[in-house]
């Protein structure tokens, strides 16, 4: 550092602070030492210094994207035990992780009984998307419909639909856990229709498609909804035991 005068160094520190380049300020001294020792060029030195700022901002941004997505938990693909759930094709899940389906505006449906990992897998894909700066939002079907209903009563349905349509990836969890009355089903249809072939949606459900008429009592509407969901969709049917009951099952199996 001896080739720099103390005042110059202080001036540079002040400039970095003024420009709110906190990380560059924090690492300045260390980068100068490194640069002198390794005889780095001006450009390489600046790259090294700016990388500190870029890395932290990138991390903050990822953090913000994940936060905005409102995931119920932060379970990722690495936390999923594929051996416990052999009905899940690991290769297919890897393909989802590549986010190719988002580029193609395709949907994913996780279908299976309670506790087999539908929400876990949907969240894991969502986290990958959010980390790659894809605008992502997670919501339970019941909450989604309540929000649309409220918006309609308050005369702002249009803007609420637009809001949910703008996400590149929307995860709608737990379709079919509660029945949906025909008026609400129409709202749901409007959203599905708005996203159809434009944006990707991941659905989780414990109800076989044949029985969707029980969730959406009006058959025409049930068909119209299913049609749009399934037209460009990968359906992942998970059979097998509930992971929640794993511990209770283990002693019996041994
Ligand atoms: P579902 O949405 O199908 O009802 P969840 O995804 O909520 O099930 O899974 C229930 C719990 O079990 C969650 O805590 C989840 O992380 C965990 N879980 C489910 N399947 C697996 C698995 N194969 N490996 C690790 N954890 C799992
Ligand atoms: Mg679930």
């Amino acid at each position: 550092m001896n080739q720099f005068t103390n005042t110059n160094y202080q001036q540079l520190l002040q400039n970095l602070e003024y420009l709110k380049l906190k990380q560059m300020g924090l690492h300045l001294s260390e980068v100068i030492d490194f640069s002198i020792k390794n005889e780095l060029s001006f450009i390489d030195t600046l790259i090294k210094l700016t990388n500190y700022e870029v890395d932290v901002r990138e991390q903050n941004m990822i953090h913000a994207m994940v936060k905005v997505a409102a995931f119920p938990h932060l379970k990722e693909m690495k936390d999923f035990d594929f051996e416990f759930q052999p009905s899940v094709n690991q290769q297919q899940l890897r393909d989802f992780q590549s986010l190719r389906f988002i580029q193609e505006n395709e949907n994913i449906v996780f279908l299976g009984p309670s506790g087999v990992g539908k929400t876990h897998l949907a969240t894991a894909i969502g986290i990958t998307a959010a980390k790659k700066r894809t605008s992502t939002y997670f919501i339970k079907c019941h909450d989604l419909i309540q929000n649309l209903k409220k918006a309609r009563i308050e005369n702002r349905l249009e803007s609420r639909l637009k809001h949910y349509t703008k996400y590149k990836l929307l995860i709608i969890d737990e379709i079919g856990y509660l029945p949906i009355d025909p008026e609400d089903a129409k709202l749901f249809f409007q959203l599905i229709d708005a996203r159809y072939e434009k944006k990707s949606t991941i659905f989780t459900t414990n109800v076989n498609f044949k029985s969707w008429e029980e969730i959406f009592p009006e058959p025409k509407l049930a068909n119209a909804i299913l049609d749009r969901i399934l037209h460009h969709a990968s359906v992942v049917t998970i059979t097998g035991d509930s992971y929640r009951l794993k511990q209770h099952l283990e002693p019996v199996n041994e």
Side-chain angles (χ1 to χ4, degrees):
M1 243 173 65
N2 41 12
Q3 75 189 91
F4 301 91
T5 66
N6 188 34
T7 38
N8 276 353
Y9 178 72
Q10 292 305 333
Q11 180 67 54
L12 181 51
L13 267 184
Q14 273 176 29
N15 285 0
L16 293 175
E17 197 181 314
Y18 182 77
L19 293 169
K20 296 196 168 35
L21 298 166
K22 189 176 166 209
Q23 295 306 319
M24 287 171 63
L26 281 174
H27 292 276
L28 181 62
S29 176
E30 155 205 334
V31 171
I32 292 172
D33 284 343
F34 185 87
S35 163
I36 293 169
K37 194 168 160 216
N38 298 283
E39 297 183 31
L40 291 195
S41 69
F42 177 70
I43 289 185
D44 286 345
T45 308
L46 264 190
I47 289 176
K48 192 166 170 60
L49 189 60
T50 49
N51 272 348
Y52 281 108
E53 197 67 44
V54 171
D55 287 352
V56 167
R57 291 197 189 186
E58 190 78 2
Q59 281 307 315
N60 289 348
M61 153 79 121
I62 287 171
H63 205 77
M65 294 293 289
V66 170
K67 205 167 169 197
V68 163
F71 297 116
H73 47 59
L74 293 181
K75 297 212 172 150
E76 301 195 45
M77 212 51 92
K78 64 176 167 43
D79 307 315
F80 193 81
D81 179 357
F82 282 91
E83 273 174 29
F84 181 78
Q85 215 55 270
S87 71
V88 175
N89 177 342
Q90 205 169 339
Q91 224 38 51
Q92 186 181 34
L93 265 294
R94 261 204 211 118
D95 180 43
F96 295 154
Q97 291 284 87
S98 79
L99 308 182
R100 186 171 65 93
F101 76 102
I102 297 179
Q103 271 162 20
E104 314 274 321
N105 299 321
E106 288 173 1
N107 299 331
I108 300 172
V109 184
F110 289 105
L111 170 68
S114 180
V116 293
K118 303 182 296 296
T119 302
H120 185 136
L121 291 172
T123 302
I125 298 167
I127 292 173
T128 301
K131 282 185 172 176
K132 291 201 177 141
R133 301 182 180 208
T134 304
S135 64
T136 301
Y137 193 66
F138 180 105
I139 191 163
K140 282 189 181 178
C141 184
H142 178 73
D143 295 338
L144 174 71
I145 287 172
Q146 291 309 308
N147 289 349
L148 290 176
K149 231 163 117 165
K150 189 159 173 274
R152 187 191 52 198
I153 293 164
E154 292 169 0
N155 253 329
R156 50 180 183 85
L157 178 60
E158 196 94 339
S159 84
R160 229 357 28 190
L161 282 170
K162 258 199 197 129
H163 169 83
Y164 288 128
T165 307
K166 78 169 200 264
Y167 293 105
K168 284 289 285 175
L169 176 63
L170 185 66
I171 301 170
I172 305 178
D173 196 34
E174 298 191 351
I175 298 181
Y177 280 78
L178 298 167
I180 300 165
D181 77 42
E183 271 310 301
D184 296 350
K186 269 186 210 151
L187 297 176
F188 187 72
F189 170 77
Q190 276 178 275
L191 176 63
I192 300 302
D193 190 48
R195 293 184 63 83
Y196 175 61
E197 293 190 325
K198 293 193 193 81
K199 300 282 167 65
S200 291
T201 312
I202 300 179
F203 303 87
T204 82
T205 181
N206 62 345
V207 181
N208 261 309
F209 301 123
K210 273 192 223 132
S211 310
W212 273 42
E213 285 181 18
E214 288 161 27
I215 316 174
F216 303 102
E218 202 181 302
K220 260 194 196 156
L221 208 48
N223 273 330
I225 290 168
L226 256 187
D227 232 37
R228 279 160 184 74
I229 291 178
L230 295 179
H231 187 194
H232 307 284
S234 303
V235 178
V236 179
T237 307
I238 313 179
T239 52
D241 295 324
S242 163
Y243 196 83
R244 291 193 189 100
L245 301 177
K246 183 177 184 270
Q247 283 137 330
H248 305 285
L249 294 174
E250 264 167 1
V252 181
N253 291 342
E254 278 165 9

